[in-house]
mmCIF file of all heavy atoms in Angstrom:
data_model
loop_
_atom_site.group_PDB
_atom_site.id
_atom_site.type_symbol
_atom_site.label_atom_id
_atom_site.label_comp_id
_atom_site.label_asym_id
_atom_site.label_seq_id
_atom_site.Cartn_x
_atom_site.Cartn_y
_atom_site.Cartn_z
ATOM 1 N N GLU A 6 110.397 93.811 91.435
ATOM 2 C CA GLU A 6 110.949 94.813 90.519
ATOM 3 C C GLU A 6 112.437 94.889 90.685
ATOM 4 O O GLU A 6 113.005 94.470 91.684
ATOM 5 C CB GLU A 6 110.314 96.160 90.779
ATOM 6 C CG GLU A 6 110.597 96.703 92.182
ATOM 7 C CD GLU A 6 109.850 98.019 92.455
ATOM 8 O OE1 GLU A 6 108.870 98.292 91.782
ATOM 9 O OE2 GLU A 6 110.299 98.759 93.359
ATOM 10 N N SER A 7 113.086 95.468 89.688
ATOM 11 C CA SER A 7 114.531 95.740 89.753
ATOM 12 C C SER A 7 114.751 97.142 90.244
ATOM 13 O O SER A 7 114.002 98.063 89.855
ATOM 14 C CB SER A 7 115.181 95.530 88.372
ATOM 15 O OG SER A 7 114.972 94.201 87.926
ATOM 16 N N ALA A 8 115.753 97.365 91.073
ATOM 17 C CA ALA A 8 116.054 98.690 91.613
ATOM 18 C C ALA A 8 117.462 98.713 92.147
ATOM 19 O O ALA A 8 118.034 97.668 92.430
ATOM 20 C CB ALA A 8 115.054 99.088 92.690
ATOM 21 N N ARG A 9 118.014 99.896 92.280
ATOM 22 C CA ARG A 9 119.281 100.033 92.946
ATOM 23 C C ARG A 9 119.049 99.879 94.458
ATOM 24 O O ARG A 9 117.993 100.288 94.959
ATOM 25 C CB ARG A 9 119.941 101.376 92.663
ATOM 26 C CG ARG A 9 120.353 101.514 91.194
ATOM 27 C CD ARG A 9 120.995 102.858 90.925
ATOM 28 N NE ARG A 9 121.274 103.043 89.507
ATOM 29 C CZ ARG A 9 122.412 102.674 88.945
ATOM 30 N NH1 ARG A 9 123.356 102.087 89.652
ATOM 31 N NH2 ARG A 9 122.607 102.843 87.628
ATOM 32 N N ILE A 10 119.981 99.298 95.174
ATOM 33 C CA ILE A 10 119.808 99.027 96.585
ATOM 34 C C ILE A 10 119.461 100.315 97.341
ATOM 35 O O ILE A 10 118.533 100.353 98.152
ATOM 36 C CB ILE A 10 121.073 98.375 97.187
ATOM 37 C CG1 ILE A 10 121.259 96.960 96.619
ATOM 38 C CG2 ILE A 10 120.964 98.332 98.697
ATOM 39 C CD1 ILE A 10 122.560 96.287 97.012
ATOM 40 N N GLY A 11 120.208 101.393 97.077
ATOM 41 C CA GLY A 11 119.953 102.656 97.772
ATOM 42 C C GLY A 11 118.579 103.211 97.520
ATOM 43 O O GLY A 11 117.915 103.683 98.422
ATOM 44 N N ASP A 12 118.129 103.136 96.261
ATOM 45 C CA ASP A 12 116.773 103.637 95.934
ATOM 46 C C ASP A 12 115.709 102.832 96.639
ATOM 47 O O ASP A 12 114.707 103.387 97.119
ATOM 48 C CB ASP A 12 116.555 103.600 94.443
ATOM 49 C CG ASP A 12 117.463 104.597 93.663
ATOM 50 O OD1 ASP A 12 117.970 105.539 94.295
ATOM 51 O OD2 ASP A 12 117.670 104.381 92.449
ATOM 52 N N ALA A 13 115.882 101.507 96.678
ATOM 53 C CA ALA A 13 114.891 100.648 97.328
ATOM 54 C C ALA A 13 114.804 100.977 98.824
ATOM 55 O O ALA A 13 113.691 101.033 99.398
ATOM 56 C CB ALA A 13 115.274 99.183 97.142
ATOM 57 N N LEU A 14 115.952 101.227 99.478
ATOM 58 C CA LEU A 14 115.930 101.516 100.912
ATOM 59 C C LEU A 14 115.441 102.938 101.192
ATOM 60 O O LEU A 14 114.718 103.147 102.178
ATOM 61 C CB LEU A 14 117.337 101.313 101.464
ATOM 62 C CG LEU A 14 117.853 99.908 101.477
ATOM 63 C CD1 LEU A 14 119.293 99.859 102.000
ATOM 64 C CD2 LEU A 14 116.986 98.979 102.331
ATOM 65 N N ASP A 15 115.841 103.886 100.362
ATOM 66 C CA ASP A 15 115.452 105.271 100.620
ATOM 67 C C ASP A 15 113.942 105.451 100.598
ATOM 68 O O ASP A 15 113.409 106.370 101.269
ATOM 69 C CB ASP A 15 116.082 106.210 99.565
ATOM 70 C CG ASP A 15 117.581 106.388 99.781
ATOM 71 O OD1 ASP A 15 118.067 106.011 100.856
ATOM 72 O OD2 ASP A 15 118.242 106.856 98.840
ATOM 73 N N ALA A 16 113.216 104.595 99.893
ATOM 74 C CA ALA A 16 111.763 104.697 99.834
ATOM 75 C C ALA A 16 111.137 104.413 101.204
ATOM 76 O O ALA A 16 109.984 104.800 101.442
ATOM 77 C CB ALA A 16 111.204 103.695 98.814
ATOM 78 N N TYR A 17 111.908 103.793 102.105
ATOM 79 C CA TYR A 17 111.399 103.471 103.449
ATOM 80 C C TYR A 17 112.087 104.234 104.562
ATOM 81 O O TYR A 17 111.897 103.907 105.733
ATOM 82 C CB TYR A 17 111.514 101.948 103.707
ATOM 83 C CG TYR A 17 110.685 101.110 102.760
ATOM 84 C CD1 TYR A 17 111.245 100.630 101.557
ATOM 85 C CD2 TYR A 17 109.388 100.790 103.055
ATOM 86 C CE1 TYR A 17 110.499 99.874 100.682
ATOM 87 C CE2 TYR A 17 108.625 100.038 102.190
ATOM 88 C CZ TYR A 17 109.184 99.559 101.004
ATOM 89 O OH TYR A 17 108.445 98.814 100.162
ATOM 90 N N ASP A 18 112.886 105.205 104.223
ATOM 91 C CA ASP A 18 113.671 105.918 105.228
ATOM 92 C C ASP A 18 112.766 106.532 106.289
ATOM 93 O O ASP A 18 111.743 107.157 105.965
ATOM 94 C CB ASP A 18 114.514 107.016 104.552
ATOM 95 C CG ASP A 18 115.571 107.564 105.480
ATOM 96 O OD1 ASP A 18 116.077 106.796 106.325
ATOM 97 O OD2 ASP A 18 115.893 108.766 105.359
ATOM 98 N N MET A 19 113.107 106.336 107.528
ATOM 99 C CA MET A 19 112.421 106.857 108.714
ATOM 100 C C MET A 19 111.043 106.207 108.916
ATOM 101 O O MET A 19 110.295 106.685 109.783
ATOM 102 C CB MET A 19 112.250 108.382 108.592
ATOM 103 C CG MET A 19 113.552 109.139 108.415
ATOM 104 S SD MET A 19 114.718 108.873 109.780
ATOM 105 C CE MET A 19 113.846 109.694 111.108
ATOM 106 N N ARG A 20 110.724 105.167 108.214
ATOM 107 C CA ARG A 20 109.424 104.523 108.445
ATOM 108 C C ARG A 20 109.457 103.016 108.405
ATOM 109 O O ARG A 20 108.465 102.359 108.170
ATOM 110 C CB ARG A 20 108.389 105.053 107.425
ATOM 111 C CG ARG A 20 108.653 104.719 105.972
ATOM 112 C CD ARG A 20 107.594 105.341 105.074
ATOM 113 N NE ARG A 20 107.706 104.926 103.690
ATOM 114 C CZ ARG A 20 107.034 103.875 103.193
ATOM 115 N NH1 ARG A 20 106.265 103.131 103.943
ATOM 116 N NH2 ARG A 20 107.151 103.552 101.912
ATOM 117 N N ALA A 21 110.670 102.439 108.611
ATOM 118 C CA ALA A 21 110.804 101.002 108.569
ATOM 119 C C ALA A 21 111.949 100.533 109.407
ATOM 120 O O ALA A 21 112.837 101.337 109.795
ATOM 121 C CB ALA A 21 110.960 100.518 107.110
ATOM 122 N N ILE A 22 111.992 99.245 109.703
ATOM 123 C CA ILE A 22 113.134 98.605 110.335
ATOM 124 C C ILE A 22 113.566 97.464 109.390
ATOM 125 O O ILE A 22 112.703 96.793 108.806
ATOM 126 C CB ILE A 22 112.796 98.067 111.736
ATOM 127 C CG1 ILE A 22 114.040 97.426 112.374
ATOM 128 C CG2 ILE A 22 111.614 97.088 111.721
ATOM 129 C CD1 ILE A 22 113.829 97.055 113.845
ATOM 130 N N VAL A 23 114.847 97.295 109.229
ATOM 131 C CA VAL A 23 115.319 96.253 108.325
ATOM 132 C C VAL A 23 116.241 95.275 109.079
ATOM 133 O O VAL A 23 116.872 95.627 110.068
ATOM 134 C CB VAL A 23 116.126 96.833 107.111
ATOM 135 C CG1 VAL A 23 115.213 97.741 106.298
ATOM 136 C CG2 VAL A 23 117.364 97.576 107.580
ATOM 137 N N GLY A 24 116.256 94.073 108.585
ATOM 138 C CA GLY A 24 117.140 93.046 109.125
ATOM 139 C C GLY A 24 118.085 92.585 108.038
ATOM 140 O O GLY A 24 117.708 92.476 106.854
ATOM 141 N N ILE A 25 119.358 92.390 108.407
ATOM 142 C CA ILE A 25 120.364 91.935 107.471
ATOM 143 C C ILE A 25 120.528 90.440 107.659
ATOM 144 O O ILE A 25 120.808 89.953 108.772
ATOM 145 C CB ILE A 25 121.735 92.649 107.717
ATOM 146 C CG1 ILE A 25 121.530 94.154 107.800
ATOM 147 C CG2 ILE A 25 122.725 92.234 106.605
ATOM 148 C CD1 ILE A 25 120.949 94.793 106.560
ATOM 149 N N LEU A 26 120.369 89.671 106.582
ATOM 150 C CA LEU A 26 120.505 88.228 106.617
ATOM 151 C C LEU A 26 121.773 87.836 105.831
ATOM 152 O O LEU A 26 121.965 88.275 104.696
ATOM 153 C CB LEU A 26 119.301 87.545 105.982
ATOM 154 C CG LEU A 26 117.922 87.960 106.476
ATOM 155 C CD1 LEU A 26 116.867 87.093 105.773
ATOM 156 C CD2 LEU A 26 117.803 87.841 107.973
ATOM 157 N N HIS A 27 122.636 87.020 106.445
ATOM 158 C CA HIS A 27 123.829 86.566 105.780
ATOM 159 C C HIS A 27 123.532 85.229 105.097
ATOM 160 O O HIS A 27 122.915 84.333 105.695
ATOM 161 C CB HIS A 27 124.947 86.381 106.792
ATOM 162 C CG HIS A 27 126.252 85.985 106.186
ATOM 163 N ND1 HIS A 27 127.198 85.216 106.808
ATOM 164 C CD2 HIS A 27 126.784 86.268 104.951
ATOM 165 C CE1 HIS A 27 128.245 85.044 106.043
ATOM 166 N NE2 HIS A 27 128.021 85.674 104.887
ATOM 167 N N VAL A 28 123.953 85.105 103.841
ATOM 168 C CA VAL A 28 123.790 83.843 103.086
ATOM 169 C C VAL A 28 125.196 83.403 102.666
ATOM 170 O O VAL A 28 125.684 83.779 101.613
ATOM 171 C CB VAL A 28 122.895 84.059 101.856
ATOM 172 C CG1 VAL A 28 122.507 82.717 101.224
ATOM 173 C CG2 VAL A 28 121.636 84.835 102.217
ATOM 174 N N PRO A 29 125.860 82.585 103.492
ATOM 175 C CA PRO A 29 127.251 82.203 103.226
ATOM 176 C C PRO A 29 127.452 81.533 101.854
ATOM 177 O O PRO A 29 128.444 81.749 101.179
ATOM 178 C CB PRO A 29 127.600 81.251 104.373
ATOM 179 C CG PRO A 29 126.679 81.646 105.479
ATOM 180 C CD PRO A 29 125.421 82.052 104.813
ATOM 181 N N ALA A 30 126.492 80.691 101.462
ATOM 182 C CA ALA A 30 126.619 79.953 100.197
ATOM 183 C C ALA A 30 126.630 80.910 99.024
ATOM 184 O O ALA A 30 127.192 80.599 97.955
ATOM 185 C CB ALA A 30 125.485 78.963 100.030
ATOM 186 N N TRP A 31 126.051 82.096 99.178
ATOM 187 C CA TRP A 31 126.015 83.097 98.110
ATOM 188 C C TRP A 31 127.164 84.106 98.292
ATOM 189 O O TRP A 31 127.362 84.961 97.432
ATOM 190 C CB TRP A 31 124.707 83.866 98.104
ATOM 191 C CG TRP A 31 123.496 83.041 97.741
ATOM 192 C CD1 TRP A 31 123.471 81.737 97.361
ATOM 193 C CD2 TRP A 31 122.132 83.483 97.761
ATOM 194 N NE1 TRP A 31 122.187 81.339 97.141
ATOM 195 C CE2 TRP A 31 121.340 82.391 97.370
ATOM 196 C CE3 TRP A 31 121.521 84.712 98.050
ATOM 197 C CZ2 TRP A 31 119.969 82.455 97.267
ATOM 198 C CZ3 TRP A 31 120.133 84.787 97.958
ATOM 199 C CH2 TRP A 31 119.369 83.665 97.595
ATOM 200 N N ASP A 32 127.855 84.051 99.412
ATOM 201 C CA ASP A 32 128.842 85.062 99.759
ATOM 202 C C ASP A 32 128.227 86.438 99.645
ATOM 203 O O ASP A 32 128.782 87.369 99.052
ATOM 204 C CB ASP A 32 130.072 84.926 98.840
ATOM 205 C CG ASP A 32 131.245 85.819 99.324
ATOM 206 O OD1 ASP A 32 131.304 86.109 100.537
ATOM 207 O OD2 ASP A 32 132.078 86.231 98.493
ATOM 208 N N ASN A 33 127.029 86.554 100.251
ATOM 209 C CA ASN A 33 126.271 87.791 100.085
ATOM 210 C C ASN A 33 125.314 87.947 101.247
ATOM 211 O O ASN A 33 125.168 87.064 102.115
ATOM 212 C CB ASN A 33 125.495 87.760 98.776
ATOM 213 C CG ASN A 33 125.586 89.046 98.004
ATOM 214 O OD1 ASN A 33 125.355 90.128 98.570
ATOM 215 N ND2 ASN A 33 125.925 88.964 96.740
ATOM 216 N N ARG A 34 124.634 89.111 101.273
ATOM 217 C CA ARG A 34 123.654 89.410 102.300
ATOM 218 C C ARG A 34 122.353 89.883 101.651
ATOM 219 O O ARG A 34 122.381 90.486 100.566
ATOM 220 C CB ARG A 34 124.188 90.439 103.283
ATOM 221 C CG ARG A 34 125.216 89.852 104.231
ATOM 222 C CD ARG A 34 125.951 90.917 105.041
ATOM 223 N NE ARG A 34 126.799 90.282 106.070
ATOM 224 C CZ ARG A 34 127.988 89.737 105.829
ATOM 225 N NH1 ARG A 34 128.457 89.702 104.572
ATOM 226 N NH2 ARG A 34 128.692 89.167 106.801
ATOM 227 N N VAL A 35 121.269 89.616 102.327
ATOM 228 C CA VAL A 35 119.930 90.000 101.874
ATOM 229 C C VAL A 35 119.306 90.912 102.929
ATOM 230 O O VAL A 35 119.584 90.763 104.100
ATOM 231 C CB VAL A 35 119.066 88.744 101.676
ATOM 232 C CG1 VAL A 35 117.611 89.067 101.439
ATOM 233 C CG2 VAL A 35 119.626 87.888 100.512
ATOM 234 N N ILE A 36 118.527 91.890 102.442
ATOM 235 C CA ILE A 36 117.840 92.801 103.373
ATOM 236 C C ILE A 36 116.368 92.466 103.407
ATOM 237 O O ILE A 36 115.711 92.326 102.355
ATOM 238 C CB ILE A 36 118.029 94.255 102.917
ATOM 239 C CG1 ILE A 36 119.527 94.633 102.922
ATOM 240 C CG2 ILE A 36 117.259 95.213 103.837
ATOM 241 C CD1 ILE A 36 119.819 96.005 102.328
ATOM 242 N N VAL A 37 115.821 92.358 104.603
ATOM 243 C CA VAL A 37 114.375 92.198 104.807
ATOM 244 C C VAL A 37 113.916 93.395 105.597
ATOM 245 O O VAL A 37 114.549 93.816 106.590
ATOM 246 C CB VAL A 37 114.062 90.899 105.571
ATOM 247 C CG1 VAL A 37 112.538 90.811 105.854
ATOM 248 C CG2 VAL A 37 114.535 89.676 104.803
ATOM 249 N N GLY A 38 112.779 93.999 105.203
ATOM 250 C CA GLY A 38 112.294 95.170 105.923
ATOM 251 C C GLY A 38 110.810 95.087 106.223
ATOM 252 O O GLY A 38 110.040 94.450 105.514
ATOM 253 N N PHE A 39 110.432 95.719 107.342
ATOM 254 C CA PHE A 39 109.012 95.863 107.736
ATOM 255 C C PHE A 39 108.720 97.335 107.933
ATOM 256 O O PHE A 39 109.476 98.030 108.620
ATOM 257 C CB PHE A 39 108.743 95.162 109.085
ATOM 258 C CG PHE A 39 109.218 93.734 109.169
ATOM 259 C CD1 PHE A 39 109.829 93.277 110.312
ATOM 260 C CD2 PHE A 39 109.002 92.840 108.121
ATOM 261 C CE1 PHE A 39 110.249 91.951 110.435
ATOM 262 C CE2 PHE A 39 109.435 91.530 108.187
ATOM 263 C CZ PHE A 39 110.062 91.059 109.365
ATOM 264 N N ASP A 40 107.627 97.820 107.375
ATOM 265 C CA ASP A 40 107.267 99.188 107.677
ATOM 266 C C ASP A 40 106.613 99.239 109.071
ATOM 267 O O ASP A 40 106.353 98.226 109.701
ATOM 268 C CB ASP A 40 106.395 99.799 106.603
ATOM 269 C CG ASP A 40 104.964 99.278 106.564
ATOM 270 O OD1 ASP A 40 104.600 98.421 107.373
ATOM 271 O OD2 ASP A 40 104.187 99.747 105.676
ATOM 272 N N ARG A 41 106.398 100.437 109.557
ATOM 273 C CA ARG A 41 105.897 100.617 110.935
ATOM 274 C C ARG A 41 104.531 99.940 111.141
ATOM 275 O O ARG A 41 104.288 99.296 112.169
ATOM 276 C CB ARG A 41 105.797 102.087 111.290
ATOM 277 C CG ARG A 41 107.149 102.773 111.467
ATOM 278 C CD ARG A 41 106.974 104.260 111.753
ATOM 279 N NE ARG A 41 108.265 104.908 111.907
ATOM 280 C CZ ARG A 41 108.960 104.926 113.041
ATOM 281 N NH1 ARG A 41 108.471 104.361 114.109
ATOM 282 N NH2 ARG A 41 110.123 105.539 113.098
ATOM 283 N N ASP A 42 103.657 100.085 110.153
ATOM 284 C CA ASP A 42 102.339 99.452 110.274
ATOM 285 C C ASP A 42 102.451 97.952 110.407
ATOM 286 O O ASP A 42 101.688 97.325 111.146
ATOM 287 C CB ASP A 42 101.476 99.805 109.087
ATOM 288 C CG ASP A 42 101.033 101.276 109.079
ATOM 289 O OD1 ASP A 42 101.066 101.916 110.163
ATOM 290 O OD2 ASP A 42 100.692 101.810 108.011
ATOM 291 N N PHE A 43 103.368 97.361 109.684
ATOM 292 C CA PHE A 43 103.628 95.932 109.798
ATOM 293 C C PHE A 43 104.019 95.541 111.237
ATOM 294 O O PHE A 43 103.453 94.636 111.832
ATOM 295 C CB PHE A 43 104.715 95.507 108.817
ATOM 296 C CG PHE A 43 105.032 94.038 108.771
ATOM 297 C CD1 PHE A 43 104.575 93.261 107.732
ATOM 298 C CD2 PHE A 43 105.793 93.429 109.792
ATOM 299 C CE1 PHE A 43 104.865 91.865 107.697
ATOM 300 C CE2 PHE A 43 106.094 92.080 109.753
ATOM 301 C CZ PHE A 43 105.623 91.297 108.700
ATOM 302 N N VAL A 44 104.966 96.298 111.797
ATOM 303 C CA VAL A 44 105.425 96.008 113.162
ATOM 304 C C VAL A 44 104.324 96.195 114.164
ATOM 305 O O VAL A 44 104.095 95.354 115.032
ATOM 306 C CB VAL A 44 106.654 96.873 113.499
ATOM 307 C CG1 VAL A 44 107.083 96.622 114.948
ATOM 308 C CG2 VAL A 44 107.820 96.610 112.548
ATOM 309 N N TYR A 45 103.602 97.331 114.066
ATOM 310 C CA TYR A 45 102.500 97.577 115.021
ATOM 311 C C TYR A 45 101.475 96.477 114.972
ATOM 312 O O TYR A 45 100.967 96.003 116.003
ATOM 313 C CB TYR A 45 101.848 98.914 114.704
ATOM 314 C CG TYR A 45 102.722 100.139 114.839
ATOM 315 C CD1 TYR A 45 102.443 101.302 114.126
ATOM 316 C CD2 TYR A 45 103.810 100.143 115.725
ATOM 317 C CE1 TYR A 45 103.225 102.439 114.281
ATOM 318 C CE2 TYR A 45 104.596 101.281 115.841
ATOM 319 C CZ TYR A 45 104.321 102.410 115.122
ATOM 320 O OH TYR A 45 105.099 103.528 115.253
ATOM 321 N N THR A 46 101.107 96.048 113.756
ATOM 322 C CA THR A 46 100.063 95.011 113.585
ATOM 323 C C THR A 46 100.547 93.693 114.151
ATOM 324 O O THR A 46 99.811 93.026 114.882
ATOM 325 C CB THR A 46 99.705 94.852 112.090
ATOM 326 O OG1 THR A 46 99.203 96.076 111.596
ATOM 327 C CG2 THR A 46 98.652 93.773 111.936
#
């Protein structure tokens, strides 16, 4: 889906951990996140 970055992240506030990935060829960064159940499992 399409969303604003802040809205996408706020949906997981206090219940997830995210990793920042750098993509030099894109001159940009990507966010990957896992919710707590994902990490526990």
